[in-house]
């Protein structure tokens, strides 16, 4: 990270009450736990429930995105259907006028007999050409009417199907929302069963585990060396700055700012602010954005966590990320190894670095 950006991160982190480096580990007390479970078992249970809640949140977010796209599709088809019905109305009006004209001009005398009786056969022939032209125009009008009817019918079927799909997604979104709330209730139930001392012991054990994982990651050489070679693009720099400015704001599942965020809400909004829209969910970000090895990480890259890609953070440099962690916490700066790392992606991979 550049010195200027690092100073910005440090200043914002201090203002938000965020610690960038872990403090020395202390001995973890082992007070009695509900059901005779140890502190490590409680931490495992709590982390499992938090992960399940985040999986449910990302499922909810994915359904919400599909529903948003489907609503846009319904609006688009409704607009097309309205225009098709207006065209059909015009075609029916033209066909009605032709029918009235044909009725008013009808005769039992055939065109051949009229030609024989005409005082001016040439005039009659010329008139026949006009009549032929009118007949072709009438045929074209009838053809347009038929085409308009088919188009309107087809669009009406598509609009009904799109609306049915929207209603199905609305029902699914409610189920997904209920699933998130159930998982969060499970978290609250476990936390409520713990004493203040037990909660402190669990938090301390989690902190020391993260510290150990971070040390292992750094000493393994997986991050490479020489971050000066990994300077961010201008877009990545803007994304990082946006994320840093959100430090201290609360985590809220399904939130995309500006008052609160969930993990992928923060990353998608940061890159949207940088002028490079990315998918809304962590799973889509992992699936659709270009992947990079950890040794090539540079500020602005996204670090994706857990086997199902259910958590994501923005890399700041220096082995640190900014993340919206989980319910009950705030956007903060954390060690890169705060969770099991799945991999990293770069939203602006391949972009020229000239404009930094």
């Amino acid at each position: 990270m550049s010195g200027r950006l690092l100073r910005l991160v440090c200043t914002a982190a201090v203002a938000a009450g965020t610690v960038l480096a872990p403090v020395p580990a202390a001995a973890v007390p082992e007070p009695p736990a509900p059901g005779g479970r140890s502190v490590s078992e409680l931490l495992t249970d709590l982390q499992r429930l938090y992960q399940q809640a985040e999986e449910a949140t990302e499922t909810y977010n994915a359904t919400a995105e599909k529903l948003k796209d489907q609503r846009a599709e319904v609006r688009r088809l409704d607009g097309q259907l309205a225009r098709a019905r207006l065209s059909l109305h015009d075609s029916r009006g033209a066909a009605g006028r032709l029918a009235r004209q044909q009725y008013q001009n009808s005769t039992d005398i055939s065109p051949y007999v009229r030609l024989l009786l005409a005082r001016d056969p040439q005039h009659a022939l010329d008139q026949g050409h006009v009549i032929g032209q009118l007949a072709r125009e009438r045929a074209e009008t009838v053809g347009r009417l038929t085409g308009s009817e088919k188009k309107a019918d087809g669009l009406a079927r598509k609009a009904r199907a799109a609306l049915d799909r929207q209603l199905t997604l609305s029902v699914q979104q409610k189920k997904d929302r209920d699933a998130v709330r159930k998982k969060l209730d499970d978290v609250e139930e476990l936390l409520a069963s713990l004493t203040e001392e037990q909660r402190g012991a669990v938090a301390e054990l989690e902190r020391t585990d993260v510290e150990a994982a971070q040390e292992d990651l750094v000493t393994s050489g997986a991050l490479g060396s020489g971050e000066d070679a990994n300077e961010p693009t201008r877009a990545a720099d803007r994304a990082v700055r946006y994320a840093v400015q959100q430090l201290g704001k609360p985590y809220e599942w399904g939130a995309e700012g500006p008052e609160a965020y969930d993990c992928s809400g923060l990353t998608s909004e940061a890159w949207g602010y940088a002028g490079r829209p990315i998918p809304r969910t962590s799973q889509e970000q992992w699936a659709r954005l270009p992947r990079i090895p950890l040794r090539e990480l540079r500020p602005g890259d996204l670090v994706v966590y857990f086997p199902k890609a259910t958590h994501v953070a923005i890399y700041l440099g220096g082995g640190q990320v900014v993340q919206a962690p989980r319910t009950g916490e705030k956007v903060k700066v954390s060690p890169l190894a705060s969770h099991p790392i799945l991999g990293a992606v770069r939203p602006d991979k391949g972009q020229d670095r000239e404009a930094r």
Side-chain angles (χ1 to χ4, degrees):
M1 185 185 330
S2 67
R4 186 159 54 94
L5 183 55
L6 181 58
R7 287 194 297 273
L8 171 66
V9 172
C10 293
T11 301
V14 170
T18 304
V19 180
L20 292 178
V23 298
V28 180
E30 285 277 349
R37 287 173 293 172
S38 67
V39 171
S40 61
E41 289 172 333
L42 286 175
L43 176 58
T44 299
D45 288 346
L46 191 58
Q47 288 176 333
R48 173 179 54 80
L49 291 174
Y50 274 126
Q51 187 179 348
Q52 289 175 352
E54 194 149 46
E55 287 179 14
T57 296
E58 289 302 291
T59 299
Y60 170 86
N61 289 339
T63 302
E65 283 298 291
K66 291 177 184 177
L67 181 57
K68 182 166 65 176
D69 291 343
Q70 194 62 35
R71 284 172 175 157
E73 177 69 2
V74 169
R75 288 193 297 270
R76 184 184 69 82
L77 287 172
D78 283 347
Q80 286 188 351
L81 181 58
R83 291 190 293 273
R85 283 174 172 164
L86 180 60
S87 176
L88 177 58
H89 175 77
D90 292 342
S91 296
R92 284 174 174 165
R97 286 191 296 273
L98 284 176
R100 288 191 297 272
Q101 291 172 3
Q102 189 172 13
Y103 175 77
Q104 292 166 357
N105 297 330
S106 65
T107 175
D108 293 333
I109 302 177
S110 69
Y112 176 70
V113 173
R114 285 201 302 270
L115 178 60
L116 292 178
L117 297 177
R119 294 182 179 179
D120 187 347
Q122 184 60 47
H123 175 73
L125 287 172
D126 293 340
Q127 190 178 39
H129 288 303
V130 173
I131 292 172
Q133 179 63 32
L134 290 175
R136 286 190 291 274
E137 291 177 359
R138 288 172 182 168
E140 290 173 1
T141 299
V142 172
R144 283 195 299 270
L145 173 60
T146 303
S148 296
E149 287 176 337
K150 289 182 178 178
K151 183 176 182 180
D153 288 345
L155 284 171
R157 286 193 297 273
K158 288 182 179 180
R160 284 194 297 270
L163 183 58
D164 288 343
R165 175 65 175 157
Q166 178 179 314
L167 294 175
T168 300
L169 285 170
S170 296
V171 172
Q172 184 61 49
Q173 184 186 42
K174 182 180 183 302
K175 291 180 179 178
D176 293 342
R177 182 183 65 231
D178 292 343
V180 175
R181 289 173 176 170
K182 173 62 171 63
K183 296 302 181 183
L184 292 177
D185 287 345
D186 292 342
V187 171
E188 290 299 321
E189 183 178 347
L190 177 55
L191 289 174
S193 72
L194 304 180
T195 65
E196 181 101 12
E197 185 181 9
Q198 288 165 345
R199 285 195 293 271
V202 168
E204 177 65 14
L205 178 58
E206 183 175 37
R207 188 192 65 76
T208 57
D209 284 351
V210 169
E211 182 181 336
Q214 181 76 1
E215 183 176 357
D216 289 344
L217 178 65
V218 173
T219 57
S220 72
L223 294 181
S225 60
E227 284 201 18
D228 288 343
N230 294 334
E231 286 292 307
T233 61
R234 176 178 293 177
D237 186 75
R238 283 173 60 83
V240 168
R241 289 174 182 276
Y242 179 93
V244 169
Q245 289 168 0
Q246 313 314 308
L247 289 174
K249 293 185 177 181
Y251 175 99
E252 181 181 319
W253 66 271
E256 301 176 73
E259 303 302 326
Y261 297 88
D262 65 15
C263 68
S264 56
L266 176 64
T267 55
S268 60
E269 288 298 304
W271 273 98
Y273 174 81
R276 193 166 300 281
I278 63 174
R280 167 64 176 89
T281 69
S282 60
Q283 292 169 329
E284 283 296 292
Q285 290 168 10
W286 173 247
R288 294 168 55 186
L289 297 178
R291 298 179 187 180
I292 58 166
L294 291 181
R295 65 179 178 275
E296 295 180 9
L297 272 175
R298 70 187 188 201
D301 292 340
L302 305 183
V303 182
V304 183
Y305 297 93
F306 299 110
K308 295 182 180 179
T310 51
H311 187 72
V312 64
I314 298 180
Y315 188 62
L316 296 178
Q320 304 289 321
V321 296
V322 59
Q323 63 168 330
R326 61 195 182 195
T327 296
E329 297 192 22
K330 297 179 180 180
V331 177
K332 65 180 182 180
V333 174
S334 306
L336 177 61
S338 295
H339 310 285
I341 298 173
L342 177 61
V345 295
R346 177 167 294 164
D348 61 344
K349 186 176 182 180
Q351 298 300 307
D352 194 344
R353 297 190 189 180
E354 288 182 3
R356 283 203 288 251

